[in-house]
Short mmCIF file of all heavy atoms in Angstrom, two decimals:
data_model
loop_
_atom_site.label_atom_id
_atom_site.label_comp_id
_atom_site.label_asym_id
_atom_site.label_seq_id
_atom_site.Cartn_x
_atom_site.Cartn_y
_atom_site.Cartn_z
N VAL T 13 -7.97 18.47 -3.01
CA VAL T 13 -6.74 19.26 -3.06
C VAL T 13 -6.90 20.51 -3.92
O VAL T 13 -5.92 21.20 -4.22
CB VAL T 13 -5.52 18.41 -3.52
CG1 VAL T 13 -5.28 17.27 -2.56
CG2 VAL T 13 -5.67 17.91 -4.94
N ARG T 16 -5.40 23.89 -2.82
CA ARG T 16 -3.95 24.08 -2.88
C ARG T 16 -3.45 23.79 -4.32
O ARG T 16 -3.11 24.68 -5.05
CB ARG T 16 -3.25 23.16 -1.86
CG ARG T 16 -1.80 23.54 -1.56
CD ARG T 16 -0.81 23.10 -2.62
NE ARG T 16 -0.83 21.65 -2.81
CZ ARG T 16 -0.17 21.05 -3.79
NH1 ARG T 16 0.55 21.74 -4.66
NH2 ARG T 16 -0.24 19.74 -3.93
N ASP T 17 -3.48 22.53 -4.70
CA ASP T 17 -2.93 22.16 -6.00
C ASP T 17 -3.69 22.87 -7.12
O ASP T 17 -3.10 23.30 -8.11
CB ASP T 17 -3.04 20.64 -6.20
CG ASP T 17 -2.01 20.11 -7.17
OD1 ASP T 17 -1.29 20.92 -7.77
OD2 ASP T 17 -1.93 18.88 -7.34
N GLN T 20 -3.23 27.07 -6.72
CA GLN T 20 -1.87 27.62 -6.85
C GLN T 20 -1.50 27.85 -8.30
O GLN T 20 -0.60 28.63 -8.59
CB GLN T 20 -0.84 26.70 -6.19
CG GLN T 20 -0.48 25.47 -7.01
CD GLN T 20 0.71 24.72 -6.42
OE1 GLN T 20 1.00 24.83 -5.24
NE2 GLN T 20 1.38 23.96 -7.25
N ALA T 180 2.86 10.81 -6.98
CA ALA T 180 2.15 11.79 -7.79
C ALA T 180 2.60 11.78 -9.24
O ALA T 180 3.80 11.82 -9.52
CB ALA T 180 2.34 13.18 -7.19
N ASP T 181 1.62 11.76 -10.12
CA ASP T 181 1.89 11.96 -11.55
C ASP T 181 1.62 13.44 -11.84
O ASP T 181 0.57 13.82 -12.34
CB ASP T 181 0.99 11.06 -12.40
CG ASP T 181 1.26 11.27 -13.89
OD1 ASP T 181 2.36 11.73 -14.23
OD2 ASP T 181 0.35 10.98 -14.69
N THR T 182 2.59 14.26 -11.48
CA THR T 182 2.44 15.72 -11.49
C THR T 182 2.09 16.28 -12.86
O THR T 182 1.37 17.28 -12.96
CB THR T 182 3.76 16.34 -10.98
OG1 THR T 182 4.13 15.65 -9.78
CG2 THR T 182 3.63 17.82 -10.71
N HIS T 210 -1.96 10.34 -6.56
CA HIS T 210 -2.23 11.74 -6.96
C HIS T 210 -2.03 11.81 -8.49
O HIS T 210 -0.90 11.81 -8.96
CB HIS T 210 -1.24 12.63 -6.20
CG HIS T 210 -1.32 14.09 -6.51
ND1 HIS T 210 -1.85 15.00 -5.62
CD2 HIS T 210 -0.93 14.82 -7.58
CE1 HIS T 210 -1.76 16.22 -6.15
NE2 HIS T 210 -1.20 16.13 -7.34
N PHE T 211 -3.15 11.83 -9.20
CA PHE T 211 -3.05 11.73 -10.66
C PHE T 211 -3.62 12.96 -11.35
O PHE T 211 -4.79 13.31 -11.14
CB PHE T 211 -3.79 10.48 -11.16
CG PHE T 211 -3.23 9.20 -10.62
CD1 PHE T 211 -3.94 8.43 -9.71
CD2 PHE T 211 -1.95 8.78 -10.99
CE1 PHE T 211 -3.41 7.25 -9.19
CE2 PHE T 211 -1.41 7.61 -10.48
CZ PHE T 211 -2.14 6.85 -9.57
N HIS T 212 -2.78 13.59 -12.16
CA HIS T 212 -3.28 14.68 -13.00
C HIS T 212 -3.87 14.09 -14.28
O HIS T 212 -3.41 13.07 -14.78
CB HIS T 212 -2.14 15.67 -13.31
CG HIS T 212 -1.86 16.59 -12.16
ND1 HIS T 212 -2.19 17.92 -12.18
CD2 HIS T 212 -1.33 16.36 -10.94
CE1 HIS T 212 -1.85 18.48 -11.02
NE2 HIS T 212 -1.32 17.55 -10.24
N ASP T 234 -6.14 11.82 -4.30
CA ASP T 234 -6.31 13.27 -4.34
C ASP T 234 -7.18 13.62 -5.55
O ASP T 234 -7.11 12.95 -6.59
CB ASP T 234 -4.95 13.96 -4.49
CG ASP T 234 -4.13 13.90 -3.20
OD1 ASP T 234 -4.71 13.58 -2.15
OD2 ASP T 234 -2.92 14.18 -3.26
N GLY T 242 -3.02 22.60 -12.37
CA GLY T 242 -2.02 22.22 -13.35
C GLY T 242 -0.69 22.17 -12.66
O GLY T 242 -0.59 21.69 -11.54
N CYS T 243 0.35 22.66 -13.29
CA CYS T 243 1.67 22.69 -12.68
C CYS T 243 2.42 23.82 -13.35
O CYS T 243 2.44 23.90 -14.57
CB CYS T 243 2.39 21.36 -12.88
SG CYS T 243 4.12 21.40 -12.34
N GLY T 251 -5.71 19.86 -14.22
CA GLY T 251 -5.53 19.56 -12.81
C GLY T 251 -5.62 18.08 -12.50
O GLY T 251 -5.54 17.22 -13.37
N ASN T 252 -5.83 17.83 -11.22
CA ASN T 252 -6.04 16.45 -10.78
C ASN T 252 -7.36 15.95 -11.33
O ASN T 252 -8.20 16.73 -11.77
CB ASN T 252 -6.11 16.40 -9.25
CG ASN T 252 -4.76 16.65 -8.64
OD1 ASN T 252 -4.38 17.78 -8.42
ND2 ASN T 252 -4.03 15.60 -8.40
ZN1 ZN U 1 -0.52 17.87 -8.30
#
Side-chain angles (χ1 to χ4, degrees):
V13 299
R16 196 281 302 171
D17 205 354
Q20 78 171 23
D181 180 23
T182 311
H210 178 107
F211 298 111
H212 281 252
D234 287 346
C243 172
N252 289 86

